[in-house]
Amino acid sequence: MPVCLDQRQIPGLSRLYADYLYQFDRVARFYGAAASPLAPGTLASAAQQVSYAPSLRARVTEALAAGNRAWGAGPATEELLARLRRPETVVIVTGQQVGLFGGPLLTVYKALTAVLTAERLRADGVSAVPVFWLASQDHDFAEINQAWVLGAGGDSQCVALPQPPAPPQSPVGRIVLGPEVGAALEAFAQATGAAAEAVAPLAGAYQPGETLASAFARLLAQWFAPWGLIVLDPLDPALAAAAAPVVEQAVERHDELTAALQQRSRELRESGYHAQVHTDGAALLFLETDGQRQPLRFGSGGAQAGAQRFSVSQLATLARTEPHRFSPGALLRPLVQDYLLPSAAQVTGPAETAYLAQSSALYAVLGRFQPLRLPRLSATLLDARARRLLDKYQLTVPDVWGLDTQGDAPAALAAHLARQTVPEGLAATLASQREAAVEGFTAIGSQVAGLDPSLVDFVRTAGDKVRHQFDQVEAKLARGLARRQEDLARQARHLVGQLYPQRQLQERIWNSAAASLRLGPLWPALLHDQLQSACPDHQFLDI
């Protein structure tokens, strides 16, 4: 079984997310919930409160069926689509940007959390299916065009797609892959050391002519075929048309929604939390003009997108007649999602959970049911070598996370390991001499205090300087040993590459497809079978 670690030990974890996981009563008012989403019975209770129009169910399911078949969905997905057509079925939804080659490993953890949660509900007699929402409407290509791979030496290597010949701020899901994807696949295979046959499934999804969204969807369909994960692309014109009523509401009630967001942001800050999205200047809606996704900036009597101005009535008409041109910003997206789907719960990471504390104010304005927000699985995969090194040097993963975040993490760890290789006698001598010096200056300070109190601070400073010199000797000795002991440097690079690549959690850096190559044919069944879906902690899994 995996080892679990309280996520409050993760560097940089926000207070809001920490309280969401472990002290939910402190933040419950920001999520429209009375009990923790992980409390027994809470999920089943949320499923019972879902209300969904039969006509919308039929319309959305038909669009989802067409899309998933185009992406190569298998029998398990067809079975869940048939289940979704039933009036009692609810959805566990999650989503992520359409990152190159499956994006970071956390993408898979999100999908797995949705799959496992739906399975748990079905085991309790509640009809539920998992849905993965592609964030294909986003326009920041630089956020999704790279895949980070752990090289043989423990260093992170980046495989990236060049900027496409598309208009600036184009929705990334519309970007069509060209011949350059072949070069990226070759670079990926070289970086991972994978044989051509191992990369073949990835190449089957990422082909010239596919979009970034369709390639991503095909890859998810392959990986999650055993569990029937349903994939949703909001760029689908049929789904955009189905979402038109909520977009129209957002246009007509923009001022109310903005005021509610600003009030909620103030409440969060006054409670000692952060507002994930700065509401001043944040766009609730975007409008595509000339192939570019432009933020709608509302002002007196209307709004502007790029160089074009619209009245509120013109925008409301556009929402009905050309709904495919609209897309929600981060704060409105959950409402569009939960209008399109019979959502009982959404699986989210730390940043999403934070901005949903703001978005919940919008649900109140529009009188909408707010689903549960379930924390996604969080995990680190440990290979045998990393586990062996941790045991050998009596290190914990938080020890590695706690390295100097401003410097060279592998060098800092190598120096730490080198300290443990200092000859026992020398280490004892340094320790005893340091202790003697500290005691000596303490004694001098006590005697000087009775003679001339003005000299006490001078003596204390002198003692600190001597103690610092001992520390410097020990540190320089450790660094010298580290430089001479390449084995330690290699071990440090491996540990940092595994546990803290680029001073980030592994799940945020490691590419999903690269991880699949490491796990081989067990992917992702190993994760499905061994990770604990209802655990709020960070988990460690031996691979």
Side-chain angles (χ1 to χ4, degrees), residues 241-254:
V246 71
V247 173
E248 186 177 354
Q249 267 194 309
V251 167
E252 294 175 338
R253 304 184 66 178
H254 181 272

Side-chain angles (χ1 to χ4, degrees), residues 1-2 4 7 17 21 37-39 43 92 108-124 345-348 373-379 526-539:
M1 294 294 289
C4 293
Q7 289 202 51
Y17 194 61
L21 293 175
L38 297 176
L43 181 58
I92 307 300
V108 172
Y109 295 153
K110 279 186 169 181
L112 275 171
T113 309
V115 166
L116 290 164
T117 303
E119 289 178 344
R120 194 165 72 244
L121 270 178
R122 292 199 297 271
D124 291 339
Q346 178 184 354
V347 174
T348 63
R373 311 304 180 183
L374 294 174
R376 66 160 170 82
L377 286 166
S378 179
L526 174 69
L527 303 179
H528 175 275
D529 294 345
Q530 295 197 37
L531 290 172
Q532 302 176 37
S533 64
C535 177
D537 297 336
H538 187 82
Q539 302 178 48

Side-chain angles (χ1 to χ4, degrees), residues 61 64-65 68 76-85 230:
T61 305
L64 291 176
N68 281 267
T77 303
E78 290 287 353
E79 181 182 338
L80 290 189
L81 285 164
R83 180 182 287 272
L84 183 56
R85 291 185 176 92
I230 299 169

Side-chain angles (χ1 to χ4, degrees), residues 6-8 13-31 33-39 271 273 353 375 536-537:
D6 189 310
Q7 289 202 51
R8 286 171 289 193
L13 191 77
S14 74
R15 181 184 166 214
L16 178 63
Y17 194 61
D19 284 351
Y20 185 85
L21 293 175
Y22 300 107
Q23 300 286 340
F24 186 77
D25 58 302
R26 297 178 179 176
V27 298
R29 66 189 184 281
F30 299 127
Y31 294 94
S36 167
L38 297 176
S271 299
Y273 300 114
T353 304
D537 297 336

Side-chain angles (χ1 to χ4, degrees), residues 196-513:
E197 58 270 20
V199 182
L202 184 63
Y206 283 83
Q207 298 183 35
E210 295 285 350
T211 65
L212 278 169
S214 65
F216 190 100
R218 286 183 180 278
L219 193 60
L220 281 186
Q222 288 181 31
W223 286 344
F224 288 90
W227 307 287
L229 178 69
I230 299 169
V231 180
L232 182 155
D233 184 358
L235 287 175
D236 182 336
L239 293 173
V246 71
V247 173
E248 186 177 354
Q249 267 194 309
V251 167
E252 294 175 338
R253 304 184 66 178
H254 181 272
D255 291 348
E256 289 177 75
L257 296 173
T258 300
L261 284 174
Q262 291 171 343
Q263 175 62 26
R264 174 55 53 84
S265 296
R266 284 193 293 270
E267 292 169 354
L268 284 164
R269 289 190 292 267
E270 289 168 0
S271 299
Y273 300 114
H274 73 291
Q276 182 71 20
V277 178
H278 296 293
T279 51
D280 293 336
L284 282 180
L285 281 168
F286 289 78
L287 181 70
E288 281 191 54
T289 60
D290 300 323
Q292 298 188 64
R293 186 173 182 250
Q294 300 282 4
L296 272 171
R297 304 296 185 191
F298 282 75
S300 56
Q304 186 163 343
Q308 299 185 41
R309 286 198 58 80
F310 304 88
S311 67
V312 170
S313 62
Q314 285 175 321
L315 286 174
T317 299
L318 274 180
R320 293 189 298 272
T321 59
E322 300 181 58
H324 60 279
R325 293 180 59 187
F326 288 84
S327 58
L331 294 173
L332 186 64
R333 183 184 296 156
L335 280 87
V336 174
Q337 161 197 285
D338 298 330
Y339 175 83
L340 280 177
L341 298 170
S343 308
Q346 178 184 354
V347 174
T348 63
E352 292 163 300
T353 304
Y355 73 62
L356 284 165
Q358 296 170 271
S359 293
S360 66
L362 305 182
Y363 286 82
V365 171
L366 298 182
R368 298 281 175 78
F369 166 70
Q370 186 173 186
L372 288 183
R373 311 304 180 183
L374 294 174
R376 66 160 170 82
L377 286 166
S378 179
T380 292
L381 308 180
L382 289 172
D383 65 12
R385 185 183 180 196
R387 178 69 75 181
R388 188 167 60 249
L389 290 172
L390 290 172
D391 292 342
K392 176 180 179 179
Y393 293 108
Q394 298 183 319
L395 290 170
T396 65
V397 175
D399 289 336
V400 180
W401 289 342
L403 294 168
D404 178 10
T405 58
Q406 302 302 315
D408 185 330
L413 179 58
H416 176 82
L417 300 182
R419 289 188 184 95
Q420 298 189 39
T421 68
V422 174
E424 186 176 348
L426 178 56
T429 300
L430 281 170
S432 63
Q433 292 299 318
R434 180 194 290 108
E435 184 179 352
V438 169
E439 290 178 351
F441 273 93
T442 300
I444 291 171
S446 298
Q447 296 180 43
V448 165
L451 297 173
D452 186 349
S454 68
L455 294 177
V456 170
D457 287 344
F458 172 78
V459 173
R460 184 184 298 113
T461 300
D464 289 342
K465 288 180 179 179
V466 170
R467 184 166 57 251
H468 176 69
Q469 290 302 314
F470 274 104
D471 292 342
Q472 288 287 92
V473 170
E474 186 178 47
K476 286 182 179 295
L477 177 62
R479 286 195 293 270
L481 287 171
R483 284 192 297 269
R484 292 195 299 270
Q485 298 182 45
E486 182 56 28
D487 281 349
L488 287 181
R490 283 195 295 268
Q491 291 169 356
R493 285 196 298 272
H494 185 81
L495 273 176
V496 171
Q498 280 257 320
L499 305 178
Y500 208 39
Q502 300 180 57
R503 298 190 291 275
Q504 295 277 345
L505 290 185
Q506 179 197 93
E507 63 192 22
R508 295 189 170 276
I509 299 297
W510 274 22
N511 175 258
S512 296

